Amino acid sequence: METTEKDIIRGGQFLIKDTQCEDVFTPEDFSEEQIMMKEAVMEFNEREIIPNKAKFEAKDYALTEEVMRKAAELGFLGVSVPEAYGGLGMGFVSTMLTCDYISSGTGSFSTAFGAHTGIGTMPITLYGTEEQKQKYVPKLATGEWFGAYALTEPGAGSDANSGKTTAKISEDGKSYVINGQKMWISNAGFCSLMIVFARIEDDKNITGFIVEYDKDNANGITLGEEEHKLGIRASSTRQVFFNDTVVPTENMLAGRGEGFKIAMNALNIGRIKLAAACLDSQRRITTTAVQYANERKQFKTPIADFGAIKVKLAEMATNAYVGESASYRAAKNIEDRIAMRQAAGNTHQEAELKGVEEYAIECSILKVAVSEDVQHCADEGIQIFGGMGFSEDTPMEAAWRDARIARIYEGTNEINRMLCVGMLVKKAMKGHVDLLGPAMKVQEDLMGIPSFDTPDFSELFSEEKAMVAKLKKVFLMVAGAAVQKFGPELESHQQLLMAASDILIEIYMAESAILRTEKNAKRFGEASQKVQISMSKLYLYQAVDIIEKKGKESIISFAEGDEQRMMLMGLKRFTKYVNYPDIVDLRNEIAEKVKSENKYCF
């Protein structure tokens, strides 16, 4: 079926448009090719990564490089690279899938893999000239060379455009000479190529360069010692120093001053792939935790039978299911958008760039939500293991340490929270997402008399979907009033932006799970989705709680008098269930399922 511009919901439009369950992609929709890919990646993880966990934890950097070479032999480094440049040329969903299932053995390998295939290779496939792509991408896709990405500096972290590294044109005009220092560079210890960002003269924005690195002919590049880190211990992370490093002018990436744009767009892809990289870790942690809980007896009872443990197992499984639902929903939106642009005559390069950029809001939402869920999952995993969880003899403490970085790299979660609301407001200003119309309508609703009819909620998820629609009104009410009050100054009200973003995040995640489950209930029968229905309801209930709290915090911080009273009444109305779910019952049902299967089983 031809996908037209009308069919594909644009980035951020989930907030103002009703999405039908038939229109979302779910993991149950994987093609045969994707299932084969998934199985190949899982098998690789079981064979090459998981048995070597102890070596990775002992900072065996050589092993990371060796396993990367093995992944290259199987084509895993080139999944998203077009066939013309030595890759497999598979779609965005397959890229996500590979990243998902290869990442759960250890965060060390996951980081090396993500840094190479994402921010190490992508900037050239997306921004490189034809010559640059022909020269470098095949080497990166086949693992002949490994890539690194050098953006962060001691003084430039979240403020990526403030870097001090300089690039000066040589006297003969044939090359640039780079001087400066970069830090936290993943894969620095074994890369042959770095995407380096530097400033030319007093340019407002930094510029990107492709810099080759050969240990035997260092060209003014020196590496610091390996960093000693809390987690991802066998991921090579070093400082990189440039001292009169000569780079030919033809190695500039995109145009002068376009580095900031490259950095931001490369990070969009990095963000959604980072969400994917946290998914199988959650499945694996949940499985490990339930197996331990089924075996461990206290008071002559397996601890999995205790309600206090069931809460944990139910929440861990639910968050994994929801994160997976939302991640693949967005991945397919991106894939369809890319296909649509290619059909309209865009090059692969333009289509991919614009396709991902379109869903930058969703990429930020997923990065935040899933990175926080994996940390919580590992934390509860330690708790279920009790004292043993704190020991290096069990896998939980490493999982917990590795999870911690996910909230920091690819843009901190604080930056991403502010970005997703900021980008939404910008899209509204450009007319890509009509926020103003729906926000005005919500204000009218607040003035009107609420309906006291009892709705018919007999159909599956009818109440939940009505609830999601009301939660969207909360966001429009709060964000609309904040934009009216502060206008462009809203950017400086970070606490408000953070609260609004939590509302936005919970809406997207809750809706994604409900739509996935509804779609599967329609095609596989409601009975087959009994536990998934419980997970979707449980997640929504908790989302409502968060949204109510964050909504109230925002309203009482920027509104006063009658406006405040009216908005608080609206908040109460928009977060009220007609029929509250039995939360204890939902959790028990989810936990019993995981317990009886002795693994994460959805």
Side-chain angles (χ1 to χ4, degrees), residues 8-33:
I8 303 182
I9 189 163
R10 296 194 68 159
Q13 280 188 338
F14 69 88
L15 197 59
I16 51 162
K17 290 201 169 179
D18 282 338
T19 304
Q20 301 307 309
C21 70
E22 291 78 13
D23 295 335
V24 298
F25 179 84
T26 77
E28 293 74 25
D29 294 312
F30 287 151
S31 64
E32 271 179 52
E33 180 188 54

PDB file of all heavy atoms in Angstrom, residues 8-33:
ATOM      1  N   ILE A   8       0.565   9.493   7.200  1.00  0.00           N
ATOM      2  CA  ILE A   8       1.612   9.451   8.222  1.00  0.00           C
ATOM      3  C   ILE A   8       1.478  10.646   9.139  1.00  0.00           C
ATOM      4  O   ILE A   8       1.575  11.789   8.716  1.00  0.00           O
ATOM      5  CB  ILE A   8       3.019   9.440   7.599  1.00  0.00           C
ATOM      6  CG1 ILE A   8       3.157   8.271   6.646  1.00  0.00           C
ATOM      7  CG2 ILE A   8       4.077   9.334   8.687  1.00  0.00           C
ATOM      8  CD1 ILE A   8       4.520   8.149   6.030  1.00  0.00           C
ATOM      9  N   ILE A   9       1.269  10.347  10.376  1.00  0.00           N
ATOM     10  CA  ILE A   9       1.140  11.397  11.375  1.00  0.00           C
ATOM     11  C   ILE A   9       2.523  12.041  11.539  1.00  0.00           C
ATOM     12  O   ILE A   9       3.531  11.355  11.550  1.00  0.00           O
ATOM     13  CB  ILE A   9       0.604  10.754  12.669  1.00  0.00           C
ATOM     14  CG1 ILE A   9       0.223  11.775  13.707  1.00  0.00           C
ATOM     15  CG2 ILE A   9       1.532   9.737  13.234  1.00  0.00           C
ATOM     16  CD1 ILE A   9      -0.664  11.169  14.780  1.00  0.00           C
ATOM     17  N   ARG A  10       2.575  13.347  11.607  1.00  0.00           N
ATOM     18  CA  ARG A  10       3.866  14.026  11.719  1.00  0.00           C
ATOM     19  C   ARG A  10       4.380  13.967  13.155  1.00  0.00           C
ATOM     20  O   ARG A  10       3.642  13.658  14.084  1.00  0.00           O
ATOM     21  CB  ARG A  10       3.727  15.483  11.273  1.00  0.00           C
ATOM     22  CG  ARG A  10       3.363  15.619   9.812  1.00  0.00           C
ATOM     23  CD  ARG A  10       3.557  17.013   9.304  1.00  0.00           C
ATOM     24  NE  ARG A  10       4.968  17.382   9.260  1.00  0.00           N
ATOM     25  CZ  ARG A  10       5.450  18.369   8.497  1.00  0.00           C
ATOM     26  NH1 ARG A  10       4.635  19.060   7.727  1.00  0.00           N
ATOM     27  NH2 ARG A  10       6.734  18.675   8.506  1.00  0.00           N
ATOM     28  N   GLY A  11       5.656  14.277  13.303  1.00  0.00           N
ATOM     29  CA  GLY A  11       6.238  14.284  14.643  1.00  0.00           C
ATOM     30  C   GLY A  11       5.493  15.233  15.556  1.00  0.00           C
ATOM     31  O   GLY A  11       5.180  16.354  15.160  1.00  0.00           O
ATOM     32  N   GLY A  12       5.178  14.791  16.762  1.00  0.00           N
ATOM     33  CA  GLY A  12       4.484  15.639  17.735  1.00  0.00           C
ATOM     34  C   GLY A  12       2.978  15.671  17.577  1.00  0.00           C
ATOM     35  O   GLY A  12       2.257  16.109  18.479  1.00  0.00           O
ATOM     36  N   GLN A  13       2.479  15.191  16.421  1.00  0.00           N
ATOM     37  CA  GLN A  13       1.023  15.280  16.189  1.00  0.00           C
ATOM     38  C   GLN A  13       0.227  14.257  17.007  1.00  0.00           C
ATOM     39  O   GLN A  13      -0.991  14.361  17.072  1.00  0.00           O
ATOM     40  CB  GLN A  13       0.704  15.096  14.702  1.00  0.00           C
ATOM     41  CG  GLN A  13       0.929  16.350  13.883  1.00  0.00           C
ATOM     42  CD  GLN A  13       0.434  16.206  12.448  1.00  0.00           C
ATOM     43  OE1 GLN A  13       0.296  15.096  11.931  1.00  0.00           O
ATOM     44  NE2 GLN A  13       0.191  17.309  11.792  1.00  0.00           N
ATOM     45  N   PHE A  14       0.918  13.294  17.612  1.00  0.00           N
ATOM     46  CA  PHE A  14       0.196  12.329  18.453  1.00  0.00           C
ATOM     47  C   PHE A  14      -0.615  13.060  19.521  1.00  0.00           C
ATOM     48  O   PHE A  14      -1.605  12.558  20.035  1.00  0.00           O
ATOM     49  CB  PHE A  14       1.176  11.338  19.118  1.00  0.00           C
ATOM     50  CG  PHE A  14       2.062  11.946  20.174  1.00  0.00           C
ATOM     51  CD1 PHE A  14       1.646  12.011  21.497  1.00  0.00           C
ATOM     52  CD2 PHE A  14       3.320  12.446  19.841  1.00  0.00           C
ATOM     53  CE1 PHE A  14       2.454  12.584  22.471  1.00  0.00           C
ATOM     54  CE2 PHE A  14       4.141  13.016  20.817  1.00  0.00           C
ATOM     55  CZ  PHE A  14       3.703  13.084  22.127  1.00  0.00           C
ATOM     56  N   LEU A  15      -0.179  14.261  19.825  1.00  0.00           N
ATOM     57  CA  LEU A  15      -0.805  15.043  20.889  1.00  0.00           C
ATOM     58  C   LEU A  15      -2.169  15.601  20.489  1.00  0.00           C
ATOM     59  O   LEU A  15      -3.040  15.808  21.329  1.00  0.00           O
ATOM     60  CB  LEU A  15       0.138  16.200  21.237  1.00  0.00           C
ATOM     61  CG  LEU A  15      -0.086  16.918  22.541  1.00  0.00           C
ATOM     62  CD1 LEU A  15       0.006  15.962  23.711  1.00  0.00           C
ATOM     63  CD2 LEU A  15       0.930  18.026  22.697  1.00  0.00           C
ATOM     64  N   ILE A  16      -2.352  15.846  19.197  1.00  0.00           N
ATOM     65  CA  ILE A  16      -3.586  16.516  18.769  1.00  0.00           C
ATOM     66  C   ILE A  16      -4.408  15.670  17.809  1.00  0.00           C
ATOM     67  O   ILE A  16      -5.476  16.069  17.381  1.00  0.00           O
ATOM     68  CB  ILE A  16      -3.275  17.886  18.121  1.00  0.00           C
ATOM     69  CG1 ILE A  16      -2.203  17.720  17.044  1.00  0.00           C
ATOM     70  CG2 ILE A  16      -2.845  18.898  19.162  1.00  0.00           C
ATOM     71  CD1 ILE A  16      -2.129  18.869  16.078  1.00  0.00           C
ATOM     72  N   LYS A  17      -3.890  14.511  17.441  1.00  0.00           N
ATOM     73  CA  LYS A  17      -4.640  13.646  16.519  1.00  0.00           C
ATOM     74  C   LYS A  17      -4.891  12.305  17.178  1.00  0.00           C
ATOM     75  O   LYS A  17      -4.073  11.824  17.957  1.00  0.00           O
ATOM     76  CB  LYS A  17      -3.830  13.421  15.239  1.00  0.00           C
ATOM     77  CG  LYS A  17      -3.733  14.664  14.382  1.00  0.00           C
ATOM     78  CD  LYS A  17      -3.390  14.310  12.944  1.00  0.00           C
ATOM     79  CE  LYS A  17      -3.575  15.526  12.052  1.00  0.00           C
ATOM     80  NZ  LYS A  17      -3.243  15.244  10.659  1.00  0.00           N
ATOM     81  N   ASP A  18      -6.020  11.707  16.833  1.00  0.00           N
ATOM     82  CA  ASP A  18      -6.291  10.359  17.335  1.00  0.00           C
ATOM     83  C   ASP A  18      -5.578   9.361  16.440  1.00  0.00           C
ATOM     84  O   ASP A  18      -5.733   9.402  15.222  1.00  0.00           O
ATOM     85  CB  ASP A  18      -7.802  10.070  17.293  1.00  0.00           C
ATOM     86  CG  ASP A  18      -8.516  10.745  18.447  1.00  0.00           C
ATOM     87  OD1 ASP A  18      -7.836  11.037  19.450  1.00  0.00           O
ATOM     88  OD2 ASP A  18      -9.735  10.988  18.345  1.00  0.00           O
ATOM     89  N   THR A  19      -4.794   8.505  17.048  1.00  0.00           N
ATOM     90  CA  THR A  19      -4.125   7.455  16.272  1.00  0.00           C
ATOM     91  C   THR A  19      -4.939   6.175  16.420  1.00  0.00           C
ATOM     92  O   THR A  19      -5.285   5.790  17.537  1.00  0.00           O
ATOM     93  CB  THR A  19      -2.690   7.234  16.807  1.00  0.00           C
ATOM     94  OG1 THR A  19      -1.996   8.479  16.768  1.00  0.00           O
ATOM     95  CG2 THR A  19      -1.939   6.214  15.975  1.00  0.00           C
ATOM     96  N   GLN A  20      -5.240   5.539  15.297  1.00  0.00           N
ATOM     97  CA  GLN A  20      -5.958   4.248  15.341  1.00  0.00           C
ATOM     98  C   GLN A  20      -4.949   3.135  15.598  1.00  0.00           C
ATOM     99  O   GLN A  20      -3.821   3.200  15.118  1.00  0.00           O
ATOM    100  CB  GLN A  20      -6.678   3.990  14.007  1.00  0.00           C
ATOM    101  CG  GLN A  20      -7.681   5.054  13.617  1.00  0.00           C
ATOM    102  CD  GLN A  20      -8.700   5.321  14.715  1.00  0.00           C
ATOM    103  OE1 GLN A  20      -9.320   4.400  15.250  1.00  0.00           O
ATOM    104  NE2 GLN A  20      -8.872   6.592  15.082  1.00  0.00           N
ATOM    105  N   CYS A  21      -5.384   2.111  16.318  1.00  0.00           N
ATOM    106  CA  CYS A  21      -4.436   1.038  16.643  1.00  0.00           C
ATOM    107  C   CYS A  21      -3.907   0.350  15.385  1.00  0.00           C
ATOM    108  O   CYS A  21      -2.772  -0.113  15.351  1.00  0.00           O
ATOM    109  CB  CYS A  21      -5.059   0.039  17.615  1.00  0.00           C
ATOM    110  SG  CYS A  21      -6.364  -0.985  16.914  1.00  0.00           S
ATOM    111  N   GLU A  22      -4.734   0.320  14.333  1.00  0.00           N
ATOM    112  CA  GLU A  22      -4.293  -0.327  13.084  1.00  0.00           C
ATOM    113  C   GLU A  22      -3.104   0.404  12.463  1.00  0.00           C
ATOM    114  O   GLU A  22      -2.361  -0.165  11.671  1.00  0.00           O
ATOM    115  CB  GLU A  22      -5.437  -0.359  12.049  1.00  0.00           C
ATOM    116  CG  GLU A  22      -6.579  -1.284  12.394  1.00  0.00           C
ATOM    117  CD  GLU A  22      -7.542  -0.708  13.456  1.00  0.00           C
ATOM    118  OE1 GLU A  22      -7.479   0.512  13.770  1.00  0.00           O
ATOM    119  OE2 GLU A  22      -8.357  -1.493  13.970  1.00  0.00           O
ATOM    120  N   ASP A  23      -2.937   1.692  12.850  1.00  0.00           N
ATOM    121  CA  ASP A  23      -1.885   2.507  12.225  1.00  0.00           C
ATOM    122  C   ASP A  23      -0.563   2.488  12.986  1.00  0.00           C
ATOM    123  O   ASP A  23       0.377   3.167  12.592  1.00  0.00           O
ATOM    124  CB  ASP A  23      -2.369   3.969  12.096  1.00  0.00           C
ATOM    125  CG  ASP A  23      -3.549   4.077  11.141  1.00  0.00           C
ATOM    126  OD1 ASP A  23      -3.679   3.206  10.262  1.00  0.00           O
ATOM    127  OD2 ASP A  23      -4.348   5.026  11.285  1.00  0.00           O
ATOM    128  N   VAL A  24      -0.502   1.775  14.093  1.00  0.00           N
ATOM    129  CA  VAL A  24       0.794   1.704  14.787  1.00  0.00           C
ATOM    130  C   VAL A  24       1.478   0.378  14.458  1.00  0.00           C
ATOM    131  O   VAL A  24       0.827  -0.649  14.278  1.00  0.00           O
ATOM    132  CB  VAL A  24       0.698   1.854  16.335  1.00  0.00           C
ATOM    133  CG1 VAL A  24       0.136   3.193  16.736  1.00  0.00           C
ATOM    134  CG2 VAL A  24      -0.062   0.715  16.969  1.00  0.00           C
ATOM    135  N   PHE A  25       2.785   0.444  14.409  1.00  0.00           N
ATOM    136  CA  PHE A  25       3.591  -0.757  14.185  1.00  0.00           C
ATOM    137  C   PHE A  25       3.948  -1.325  15.553  1.00  0.00           C
ATOM    138  O   PHE A  25       4.249  -0.583  16.483  1.00  0.00           O
ATOM    139  CB  PHE A  25       4.862  -0.375  13.426  1.00  0.00           C
ATOM    140  CG  PHE A  25       5.783  -1.536  13.147  1.00  0.00           C
ATOM    141  CD1 PHE A  25       5.580  -2.344  12.038  1.00  0.00           C
ATOM    142  CD2 PHE A  25       6.838  -1.828  14.008  1.00  0.00           C
ATOM    143  CE1 PHE A  25       6.422  -3.414  11.772  1.00  0.00           C
ATOM    144  CE2 PHE A  25       7.694  -2.893  13.748  1.00  0.00           C
ATOM    145  CZ  PHE A  25       7.483  -3.688  12.627  1.00  0.00           C
ATOM    146  N   THR A  26       3.925  -2.641  15.670  1.00  0.00           N
ATOM    147  CA  THR A  26       4.269  -3.280  16.947  1.00  0.00           C
ATOM    148  C   THR A  26       5.289  -4.386  16.694  1.00  0.00           C
ATOM    149  O   THR A  26       5.434  -4.847  15.554  1.00  0.00           O
ATOM    150  CB  THR A  26       3.016  -3.923  17.596  1.00  0.00           C
ATOM    151  OG1 THR A  26       2.748  -5.165  16.905  1.00  0.00           O
ATOM    152  CG2 THR A  26       1.799  -3.022  17.514  1.00  0.00           C
ATOM    153  N   PRO A  27       5.980  -4.839  17.739  1.00  0.00           N
ATOM    154  CA  PRO A  27       6.934  -5.940  17.549  1.00  0.00           C
ATOM    155  C   PRO A  27       6.272  -7.215  16.996  1.00  0.00           C
ATOM    156  O   PRO A  27       6.958  -8.050  16.408  1.00  0.00           O
ATOM    157  CB  PRO A  27       7.474  -6.172  18.963  1.00  0.00           C
ATOM    158  CG  PRO A  27       7.363  -4.839  19.616  1.00  0.00           C
ATOM    159  CD  PRO A  27       6.072  -4.267  19.100  1.00  0.00           C
ATOM    160  N   GLU A  28       4.953  -7.316  17.159  1.00  0.00           N
ATOM    161  CA  GLU A  28       4.249  -8.480  16.592  1.00  0.00           C
ATOM    162  C   GLU A  28       4.114  -8.359  15.069  1.00  0.00           C
ATOM    163  O   GLU A  28       3.680  -9.294  14.405  1.00  0.00           O
ATOM    164  CB  GLU A  28       2.862  -8.634  17.232  1.00  0.00           C
ATOM    165  CG  GLU A  28       2.892  -9.004  18.710  1.00  0.00           C
ATOM    166  CD  GLU A  28       3.293  -7.863  19.646  1.00  0.00           C
ATOM    167  OE1 GLU A  28       3.110  -6.666  19.294  1.00  0.00           O
ATOM    168  OE2 GLU A  28       3.819  -8.172  20.744  1.00  0.00           O
ATOM    169  N   ASP A  29       4.482  -7.199  14.522  1.00  0.00           N
ATOM    170  CA  ASP A  29       4.424  -6.975  13.075  1.00  0.00           C
ATOM    171  C   ASP A  29       5.757  -7.232  12.377  1.00  0.00           C
ATOM    172  O   ASP A  29       5.868  -6.996  11.177  1.00  0.00           O
ATOM    173  CB  ASP A  29       4.009  -5.520  12.784  1.00  0.00           C
ATOM    174  CG  ASP A  29       2.589  -5.228  13.233  1.00  0.00           C
ATOM    175  OD1 ASP A  29       1.696  -6.024  12.918  1.00  0.00           O
ATOM    176  OD2 ASP A  29       2.377  -4.207  13.918  1.00  0.00           O
ATOM    177  N   PHE A  30       6.778  -7.680  13.123  1.00  0.00           N
ATOM    178  CA  PHE A  30       8.078  -7.920  12.486  1.00  0.00           C
ATOM    179  C   PHE A  30       7.917  -8.847  11.285  1.00  0.00           C
ATOM    180  O   PHE A  30       7.192  -9.844  11.357  1.00  0.00           O
ATOM    181  CB  PHE A  30       9.074  -8.567  13.461  1.00  0.00           C
ATOM    182  CG  PHE A  30       9.609  -7.640  14.528  1.00  0.00           C
ATOM    183  CD1 PHE A  30      10.004  -8.141  15.767  1.00  0.00           C
ATOM    184  CD2 PHE A  30       9.737  -6.272  14.297  1.00  0.00           C
ATOM    185  CE1 PHE A  30      10.495  -7.302  16.760  1.00  0.00           C
ATOM    186  CE2 PHE A  30      10.233  -5.423  15.286  1.00  0.00           C
ATOM    187  CZ  PHE A  30      10.610  -5.943  16.511  1.00  0.00           C
ATOM    188  N   SER A  31       8.624  -8.515  10.197  1.00  0.00           N
ATOM    189  CA  SER A  31       8.601  -9.364   8.996  1.00  0.00           C
ATOM    190  C   SER A  31       9.475 -10.597   9.251  1.00  0.00           C
ATOM    191  O   SER A  31      10.233 -10.640  10.223  1.00  0.00           O
ATOM    192  CB  SER A  31       9.164  -8.590   7.810  1.00  0.00           C
ATOM    193  OG  SER A  31      10.540  -8.295   8.052  1.00  0.00           O
ATOM    194  N   GLU A  32       9.400 -11.559   8.340  1.00  0.00           N
ATOM    195  CA  GLU A  32      10.249 -12.760   8.476  1.00  0.00           C
ATOM    196  C   GLU A  32      11.717 -12.371   8.489  1.00  0.00           C
ATOM    197  O   GLU A  32      12.509 -12.900   9.264  1.00  0.00           O
ATOM    198  CB  GLU A  32       9.973 -13.731   7.319  1.00  0.00           C
ATOM    199  CG  GLU A  32       8.848 -14.702   7.628  1.00  0.00           C
ATOM    200  CD  GLU A  32       8.567 -15.636   6.456  1.00  0.00           C
ATOM    201  OE1 GLU A  32       9.526 -16.262   5.963  1.00  0.00           O
ATOM    202  OE2 GLU A  32       7.402 -15.721   6.047  1.00  0.00           O
ATOM    203  N   GLU A  33      12.068 -11.429   7.619  1.00  0.00           N
ATOM    204  CA  GLU A  33      13.463 -10.975   7.551  1.00  0.00           C
ATOM    205  C   GLU A  33      13.892 -10.372   8.891  1.00  0.00           C
ATOM    206  O   GLU A  33      14.994 -10.636   9.386  1.00  0.00           O
ATOM    207  CB  GLU A  33      13.607  -9.927   6.435  1.00  0.00           C
ATOM    208  CG  GLU A  33      15.021  -9.393   6.290  1.00  0.00           C
ATOM    209  CD  GLU A  33      15.131  -8.215   5.317  1.00  0.00           C
ATOM    210  OE1 GLU A  33      14.395  -7.212   5.478  1.00  0.00           O
ATOM    211  OE2 GLU A  33      15.956  -8.302   4.402  1.00  0.00           O
TER     212      GLU A  33
END
